[in-house]
């Protein structure tokens, strides 16, 4: 008896969720299809029913991770509050306590951004653009004139901070992340202050 469309979609979602978690933790090159399917508790046959190969899965998994990441979630009720941007920055920099069900790929996959496979680079670019666009929209709605530029600068700071923090000895991480948080929040608030002055 053939599987129903809803069963096929559930299977695909399980594979994507498992792949997103593993790719976000280890990067493209260090993850195997065997590891992904084991985490999804499925067979290789199920994989090839949905994806042509590893790079196609990576592309779809990064889109999945981006669409489920906390910054992509609509929150119109709090978006205009003064504390909203600060809360986004704090949450992003709390990578050790991040949402394990929906990991953010950007800071963990910096090496994938320069990968030899075009699909891998493009998938990373989509993640980056998604966060920049979301932040830029919030800033534009607050009247910041150079919203896109400030959003790009902020995302680069966030991604770079977490990428470096992961390589710093545990006792120093907390202070490093706190200083970065203060710098990034100050820059965002200062631009808003100048815009509304």
């Amino acid at each position: 008896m053939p599987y129903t469309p809803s069963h096929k979609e559930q299977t695909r979602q399980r594979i994507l969720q498992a792949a997103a978690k593993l790719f976000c933790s280890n990067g493209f090159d260090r993850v195997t299809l065997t590891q992904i399917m084991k985490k999804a508790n499925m067979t290789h046959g199920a994989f090839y029913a949905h994806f042509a190969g590893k790079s196609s899965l990576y592309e779809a998994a990064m889109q999945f991770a981006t669409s489920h990441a906390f910054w992509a979630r609509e929150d119109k009720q709090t978006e205009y509050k003064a504390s909203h941007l600060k809360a986004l920055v704090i949450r992003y920099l709390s990578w050790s306590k991040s949402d394990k069900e929906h990991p953010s790929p950007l800071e963990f996959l910096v090496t994938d951004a320069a990968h030899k496979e075009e699909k891998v680079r493009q998938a990373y670019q989509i993640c980056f653009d998604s966060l920049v666009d979301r932040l830029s929209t919030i800033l534009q709605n607050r009247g910041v004139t150079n919203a896109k530029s400030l959003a790009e600068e902020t995302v680069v700071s966030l991604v770079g901070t977490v990428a470096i923090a992961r390589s710093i000895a545990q006792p120093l991480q907390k202070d490093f992340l706190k200083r970065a948080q203060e710098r990034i929040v100050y820059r965002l608030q200062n631009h808003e202050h100048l815009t509304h002055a």
Side-chain angles (χ1 to χ4, degrees), residues 31-73:
V31 175
T32 66
L33 294 182
T34 301
Q35 291 171 324
I36 292 167
M37 298 314 288
K38 183 177 179 182
K39 187 163 188 66
N41 199 24
M42 301 171 78
T43 65
H44 272 73
F47 171 81
Y48 289 108
H50 295 280
F51 303 99
K54 184 178 171 183
S55 58
S56 296
L57 171 60
Y58 181 89
E59 186 176 26
M62 292 306 95
Q63 290 173 0
F64 176 88
T66 300
S67 65
H68 287 79
F70 71 88
W71 75 72
R73 299 172 197 162

Side-chain angles (χ1 to χ4, degrees), residues 102-196:
H102 305 296
S104 166
L106 283 174
E107 66 270 20
F108 302 123
L109 302 178
V110 174
T111 55
D112 286 351
H115 203 275
K116 60 186 177 222
E117 285 196 40
E118 183 66 21
K119 274 189 176 182
V120 174
R121 291 198 309 273
Q122 286 176 350
Y124 188 90
Q125 183 69 46
I126 289 168
C127 294
F128 179 83
D129 291 343
S130 172
L131 181 50
V132 169
D133 290 345
R134 179 80 176 108
L135 187 54
S136 181
T137 299
I138 294 170
L139 292 168
Q140 283 172 353
N141 290 340
R142 291 170 177 236
V144 176
T145 53
N146 61 337
K148 181 80 170 188
S149 176
L150 180 58
E152 285 179 345
E153 180 185 332
T154 302
V155 172
V156 168
S157 295
L158 290 170
V159 173
T161 295
V162 175
I164 292 169
R166 294 182 81 208
S167 65
I168 290 177
Q170 191 71 29
L172 304 175
Q173 278 180 2
K174 187 176 178 182
D175 288 340
F176 175 77
L177 289 168
K178 186 177 182 199
R179 288 193 302 272
Q181 174 193 309
E182 289 169 355
R183 281 194 308 272
I184 295 167
V185 169
Y186 175 80
R187 191 180 311 124
L188 287 168
Q189 290 175 339
N190 191 45
H191 273 79
E192 282 195 290
H193 173 72
L194 291 173
T195 302
H196 296 302

